[in-house]
Structure formats: structure tokens, C-alpha cells
Amino acid sequence: MDFLEGEILYFNKPLRWTSFDLVNKFRYELTRKLGVKKIKVGHAGTLDPLATGVLILCTGKATKRIDELQYQTKEYVATLKLGETTPSFDLEKEVDAVYPTAHITRELVEETLKSFVGTIQQVPPVFSACRVQGKRAYELARTGQEVALRSKTLVIDEIELLDYALPIIKIRVVCSKGTYIRALARDIGQALRSGAHLIALERTRIGQVTLDQCLSPEDIKPFLDKHVEKIVEDKK
């Protein structure tokens, strides 16, 4: 593999790691192994620290393909807790409101999910990387400022109810670039005349790449040992 010329790699991002943590870890190990001071490494499609799953890393000239790779369809498995909301729509912030769930049935959930399939409008979370007047929305939100974000058009190809154990539901979502699953959890809660927030999220696929094709951070050193040594041998 020619990492300087450019390679595309697939990782399973661990819980509580940022996408940049994984990029930095791989870049550090790669520069040490290649014996160079720096090399371009970037990622396609950010995952929140509280999310796990498929993350694409590009090296060298392959970083020019990041925009192209980001536009691929993505699949997620999301776990939602109904009846409670948080300001971040996930576990980053504490619960700020509680709502009734006694009226919610499996049939109501399944019918509600169908209403989200197709082209929809979604307002991103204020705790997101969307830019507002040159600053990230989350930077403003964390200082207590009011943040007004415009809705965005996106496509939900599929939503499937995987598990129902009120107040917890688990869903599978196939969607376009730009979809915030945290915001989808918020909107599902509102559509159910209750509240909801995300308590777990795993990205299971980007394009045709699935979790079983992904490396873990623990695989980085043995992976580089194998492939960088092969480059050296090929030059002998």
C-alpha cells in the first residue's frame, strides 16, 4: 500500500473518541512507521464522540476524495429513550424535560416512523458543527447564546423498528449525507407527542463498506507492520 500516494481505509470508531482522535492516532503511527515528519490524513463524515461505527480515513492524495466519499448513503442503528429530552438530543447533556409515554404503542411508533421516509426538512442540533456567522453552533450554544439554525433538506431511504421496549426503542436508519440522527430522535419524539433523545448510536455502513470490513485502533500497528514492510520489500 502506498500511503504517501494515497489510500482509503475503514475504521470502527470507539465510543468517546472524536473523529479527530482516530485521525491523529493513525497519523502518528503512520508517520513513525514511514519515517516521515508529516503526511496528510483526513476523515470523511464526522461521528460524534458518543457514536461508534464506520469512519473512513484517507491518506495522501486520497484526501481529495473526501467530499465524494461523504456523499455516500449511510446506515445507522440508533437507540432512543422516549419520554425525556436533553438540550443536545443525546447523553452529552442532562435531561431537561419529561413527557408522558403511556399513549405510545408499538403500532404508533411504526406508523410514525413511516412518516419520516422520503425527502424531509430537518433543523440541525444547536450542539453541532454547523456554522453560524463564522462560528460553530456548538461554540455559541455552550456559552449560553441563542442559536437559530435553518432547516436542511435531506433524504431518509429507510427506517425500521428493530426493538420496542418502552421507553426504549431501537431503529435502523438509511439516510443521506447531512442527516443528524440526534435531530431525528428529537423529531420522532415530537411526532409521538412526547419527547425523545439518543442514548446510543452506531454507524453500520457507509456506501458498501460495513463494520466487518473495518479496522479498530488496536489493529493500526500490526496493519502498518504488515503493509509498510511489504512496500520496503517490493523496492529491494
Side-chain angles (χ1 to χ4, degrees), residues 22-35:
L22 190 51
V23 167
N24 291 338
K25 168 72 173 175
F26 184 76
R27 183 194 291 118
Y28 173 76
E29 297 295 347
L30 181 59
T31 54
R32 289 189 66 193
K33 192 67 182 177
L34 289 174

Side-chain angles (χ1 to χ4, degrees), residues 123-126 130-133 137 140-141 145-151:
V123 178
V126 293
C130 293
R131 288 196 175 275
V132 180
Q133 298 177 345
L140 300 173
Q145 297 183 54
E146 290 289 330
V147 181
L149 297 175
R150 294 180 180 178
S151 64

Side-chain angles (χ1 to χ4, degrees), residues 3 13 34 48 53 82 86 89 119 137 141 144 148 152 155 158 169 181 183 186-187 195 216 218-219 230-231:
F3 296 99
K13 187 193 80 66
L34 289 174
D48 290 335
L82 306 180
T86 73
F89 313 147
T119 301
K152 295 184 177 182
V155 178
E158 300 175 45
I169 63 170
I181 306 298
R186 170 204 61 198
D187 295 342
S216 70
E218 293 75 24
D219 296 326
K230 187 174 186 300
I231 294 173

